[in-house]
Amino acid sequence: MRSILFPALPVLFHFLMLNPAVAADWPHWRFDAGHGAVTPHALPDEMHLQWTRQLSPTSPAWPTTQPKLDFDRVPEPVVAGNHLLVPHSANDSVTAYDTRSGDEKWRFYADGPVRFAPATDGKKAWFVSDDGHLYCLNVKDGKLLWRFNGGPSERRGLGHGRMISSWPARGGPVHRDGKVWFTASVWPFMGIFIHCLDGDTGKVVWTNSGDGMNYTVQPHGAPSFATVAPQGHLALAGNHLIVPGGRSNPAVLDAGTGKLIHFRYDKKHGNHRVLAGGDHFFVDGGRYQLSDGRSLGGIKPHLIDSKQIISLNRTEIRAQALKGTMETTTRKDKRGRKVTESRFTVKNLWSAKIDSEARQLFIQAGNRLYTGGDDLVAAFDMKDIRDGRPKPAWSAKIKGKPGTMLAADDRLFIVTEDCRLFCFGSQKISQYHHVPDDKPLPKPDSKAIAGIQPILEHAGTSEGHALVLGADTGSLDALLQLTKLRIVAVDADAKKVESLRRRHDAAGHYGQRISILQHASPMEFQAPPYFANLVLVDKSLLSKSTPAQLQSVYNSVRPYGGILCLEHKDSKLEQAAKALPKAQLLKSGGNRLIVKKEGSLPGTSDWSHQYADAGQSVVSRDERVKTPLGLLWFGGPSNAKILPRHGHGPSPQVAGGRLFIEGADIMRAVDVYTGRLLWERELKDIGKYYNNTAHFPGAGEIGSNYVSMPDAVYVVYGPRILELDAATGRTTREFKLQEESNFGWLSVQDDFLVTTTSPIAVTGQDKGKKTESIKSLSDIKSRYAAGSRRLAVFDRRSGKLLWTRDARFNFRHNNIALSKDILFVIDSLTDSRRKALERRGIKLDGSPRLHALNLKAGREIWQTRDDVFGTFLNYSARHDLLLQAGSAF
């Protein structure tokens, strides 16, 4: 007979009357709509391991992130009857396991990762996916009842390499009184959509889509249009809907109407983990008033019920009353004026010590608290610990560290941080250990291999992304074996899609190497633009295709060599293919058309230098970048190695379809169309000067230390300039001077590599020199400075030094501008640097000059007269004025 300890019979009776269908369920993340993690139903006093199951590793939304955004670190199950519903981000699924045996009952695949716990009323379950939809399933058999797109359209993009909605649903659902709430979109500039739907039908009760771009002030006093970026499980408290903001604080809406009640932007006190109870919500160690968002002081609750809050701090458990009072006091300030102050106070109910290595508090079931630690789970009777008996009432060894717990159906379920699922119950039975399906794909037949290999030779890469329209099993298997491509396959046959999903899931590929989507007309499937290195279209789709459909499919092909392969060939199709922009038809055998997208997109331009180009124009020549802008991709490799923003390192640069980024000790190349890491080259201390967390002018003072071209990246590295292959990051050439001077700055115009040598730091960076030993500028040797003593121009193809020129003062790095044939340069020092030199005994004669030099030979074309530009150049000479000055002479 089930033994249940009742903390308060009236409270339990009220709960049962409101929730008769879910009395022994665990219907939400952390049990209820407020996420208090307290169930009135006790578990058996003694429990034994029933079964285990090893789940696949998760695929987090934000890899290597901080705890504020680790909402999908482990799967977060819920329980409805004898169905344990487990979401999973890696294979885009929700799976129902039998609570008694651990056997799989059913599995449902969404069209994107599932990152949050479902919500359930016992008969239906609702969950969200990165595909932007809210799904409603029948709990009994996992059949889809309905789904609702939370965004305004089916527009797709890439998120950390996965094809998802441009408005991913990252606000986990919450259910009450026949209604379900969820959100879509994490980018305010794309619109934020908060919905309340009828839980049975999916019909809209209300949608808030207008508060996503409210006027607010961002960090550092930056005015902008934005609001909460939903990331986390939504919470309900009374008529308040709390929407977590991930790193920022939550927004609070009227649950009945969707009207925004308040949002106080605060990037320091946010978290995906938001709990609610009474008149308050709790986030990031703070308590806030629901009605207005007012801070009521610090507290970090682990458990919340209708009366109290329980926290565990190392070995001390403390209980406080949920409700508190606002105390008002009056005092006099230093001037004798009366000052009224208000302070929120709560009653401490009890505190006690526990004796256990399991010091993370997860849930309360009945009168017991359940904790976890390394390889351990333990339960404490609250009466025992309050009476001074700190030992666990029950404990058990497990393998791993608990990540989440829940209590339902007389059982305790634990998911560890390495995704092991444990079930404990009252019976002493033979344990059963479920292992993942391991059904490797059969070796592709020779015909499929022979069909794919010639296509891959034209593609010239085995990595990146592939789009396959018409899911031919042989072609998919061949692509998986022969390449490292991440494949998205689209087919019209729903049964075929389901079968292929299960097949590749069992092989361990689904969601990671391959995703398979169902679409009534694959030729009209709207994939993200420019993302695919290879697009393969089955012949069954081409006989009735239109030129407009072909153009839409071609739009998904990556520039700079992406391949479109049409498994059909006739004169009309060939003519349509020839008409595609930047298309080159390649030779192919058989009844097949292969189209290569050559070069850049029409009307695009690179950003190859710190200030756009060698002319330092700060003007992009790109004609395609126009408002309104939309999300193309987000994610990519971690920014942990990248320079801190306060150091103002060189701007990222784009050339030849690659995005180049400098780190403290690395150079990195990323696919500009997908965010995929192409290569990363370790160069120790490459960004040392900019690796500064204090506010610092960085490249704004000394200039950039690298330049990016479609074929090569040039990097200043002390007394060398490295030429890195743009495709691989390998060093292909080094530029040096005989005197081994440090290089300071560089630029590239056509075949000319223009650089400066012998940087001159005249304020504070020549500390190694005694003042009396410095006789001239040539005695000052630095690695980092705003200007340099010498110009040097190389032929970048041959590596030959073409010419050099010495400065009277120094050549200002950020004021060197190149046109096609002319180099404009300022030879000057600021007043402050002149005075610093005079303090060292160096007095320089003459006035600043602006020079125009022949780029190829270094000949003087013209220079300014001292009395025309001298005073002006002492302080400022923006590169956009250099060309104007040149035209005046």
Side-chain angles (χ1 to χ4, degrees), residues 15-24:
F15 179 87
L16 292 175
M17 291 302 98
L18 288 177
N19 301 274
V22 293

Side-chain angles (χ1 to χ4, degrees), residues 183-194:
T183 73
S185 185
V186 297
W187 309 108
F189 81 96
M190 292 290 291
I192 298 296
F193 300 88
I194 306 172

Side-chain angles (χ1 to χ4, degrees), residues 468-726:
V468 179
L469 301 180
D472 175 70
T473 302
S475 297
L476 294 178
D477 288 355
L479 284 173
L480 284 170
Q481 176 171 303
L482 297 175
T483 75
K484 296 180 181 179
L485 292 165
R486 298 186 75 161
I487 304 165
V488 174
V490 184
D491 200 275
D493 188 333
K495 289 184 178 179
K496 182 180 180 182
V497 168
E498 178 69 15
S499 174
L500 286 172
R501 282 172 165 174
R502 290 188 172 276
R503 180 176 185 266
H504 289 286
D505 197 1
H509 297 312
Y510 196 74
Q512 305 307 299
R513 286 290 314 280
I514 186 169
S515 302
I516 304 166
L517 308 177
Q518 192 269 334
H519 194 281
S521 178
M523 289 295 289
E524 296 179 354
F525 177 78
Q526 294 297 310
Y530 326 133
F531 90 105
N533 300 78
L534 170 64
V535 176
L536 183 62
V537 185
D538 189 72
K539 61 183 178 181
S540 63
L541 303 175
L542 291 168
S543 59
K544 296 182 180 180
S545 63
T546 66
Q549 289 175 333
L550 187 62
Q551 173 64 61
S552 178
V553 171
Y554 184 69
N555 195 44
S556 299
V557 179
R558 189 189 189 279
Y560 299 101
I563 294 293
L564 170 62
C565 179
L566 308 174
E567 295 290 337
H568 182 65
K569 190 174 185 180
D570 62 28
S571 58
K572 287 186 178 180
L573 193 59
E574 190 166 351
Q575 286 301 114
K578 286 180 179 178
L580 296 171
K582 296 277 187 170
Q584 178 188 359
L585 268 62
L586 305 178
K587 291 182 179 180
S588 62
N591 193 30
R592 169 187 285 169
L593 278 174
I594 296 181
V595 184
K596 187 174 185 178
K597 186 178 283 189
E598 287 282 8
S600 62
L601 291 170
T604 61
S605 179
D606 290 340
W607 189 282
S608 58
H609 291 65
Q610 169 76 6
Y611 296 115
D613 50 32
Q616 302 214 59
S617 67
V618 204
V619 175
S620 172
R621 311 300 178 188
D622 198 297
E623 299 171 359
R624 298 176 70 98
V625 179
K626 301 175 182 177
T627 56
L629 300 175
L631 180 72
L632 185 65
W633 59 265
F634 67 90
S638 166
N639 67 350
K641 299 179 182 179
I642 301 307
L643 294 166
R645 59 190 174 90
H646 285 168
H648 293 96
S651 300
Q653 298 168 10
V654 174
R658 303 178 183 97
L659 173 65
F660 300 97
I661 306 172
E662 181 177 349
D665 298 291
I666 62 160
M667 286 297 299
R668 172 185 289 172
V670 170
D671 185 341
V672 76
Y673 298 107
T674 65
R676 181 173 66 91
L677 178 65
L678 299 175
W679 54 261
E680 191 169 279
R681 171 74 186 276
E682 183 175 353
L683 293 168
K684 185 171 175 54
D685 291 336
I686 181 67
K688 181 178 180 180
Y689 181 80
Y690 314 103
N691 192 16
N692 196 315
T693 55
H695 285 282
F696 189 67
E701 179 180 16
I702 74 166
S704 173
N705 61 348
Y706 79 102
V707 169
S708 306
M709 306 304 289
D711 59 336
V713 180
Y714 297 91
V715 183
V716 170
Y717 204 46
R720 297 177 290 161
I721 293 177
L722 306 181
E723 179 185 84
L724 309 182
D725 184 275

Side-chain angles (χ1 to χ4, degrees), residues 847-849 864-875:
S847 299
R849 297 287 183 98
T864 59
R865 299 192 308 273
D866 291 357
D867 59 345
V868 175
F869 280 104
T871 303
F872 168 72
L873 293 177
N874 235 348
Y875 298 95

Side-chain angles (χ1 to χ4, degrees), residues 55-267:
L55 304 174
S56 301
T58 56
S59 182
W62 302 107
T64 64
T65 190
Q66 62 227 8
K68 289 177 180 286
L69 289 169
D70 67 350
F71 44 76
D72 55 351
R73 178 172 52 97
V74 298
E76 294 283 356
V78 297
V79 173
N82 64 343
H83 291 71
L84 178 73
L85 307 181
V86 181
H88 215 291
S89 57
N91 64 1
D92 306 353
S93 72
V94 173
T95 305
Y97 299 107
D98 189 294
T99 56
R100 307 301 173 98
S101 66
D103 293 337
E104 182 178 321
K105 288 174 168 284
W106 53 258
R107 177 168 294 180
F108 180 90
Y109 293 94
D111 288 346
V114 182
R115 305 193 179 280
F116 298 93
T120 178
D121 65 357
K123 295 181 178 179
K124 293 182 290 297
W126 302 268
F127 72 91
V128 295
S129 165
D130 272 4
D131 64 24
H133 288 77
L134 173 73
Y135 291 80
C136 178
L137 305 182
N138 186 317
V139 168
K140 185 178 180 180
D141 56 16
K143 299 296 183 183
L144 177 66
L145 299 177
W146 54 263
R147 73 174 192 166
F148 178 86
N149 185 7
S153 76
E154 295 288 346
R155 186 182 188 276
R156 297 172 179 87
L158 294 181
H160 287 287
R162 294 297 313 277
M163 187 186 291
I164 62 174
S165 171
S166 293
W167 301 274
R170 296 275 177 88
V174 64
H175 171 265
R176 188 180 68 188
D177 300 331
K179 299 183 182 68
V180 61
W181 292 259
F182 84 106
T183 73
S185 185
V186 297
W187 309 108
F189 81 96
M190 292 290 291
I192 298 296
F193 300 88
I194 306 172
H195 303 282
C196 175
L197 305 182
D198 183 285
D200 291 330
T201 66
K203 290 184 178 179
V204 176
V205 177
W206 57 257
T207 292
N208 183 325
S209 62
D211 286 319
M213 294 296 283
N214 288 345
Y215 182 82
T216 187
V217 178
Q218 299 276 7
H220 301 287
S224 62
F225 294 93
T227 187
V228 67
Q231 297 197 81
H233 292 85
L234 307 188
L236 286 169
N239 199 40
H240 295 87
L241 175 70
I242 304 102
V243 180
R247 292 184 62 192
S248 67
N249 60 318
V252 176
L253 287 76
D254 186 298
T257 65
K259 181 181 178 181
L260 180 66
I261 297 174
H262 61 80
F263 172 68
R264 296 186 173 189
Y265 186 87
D266 183 352
K267 73 166 187 173

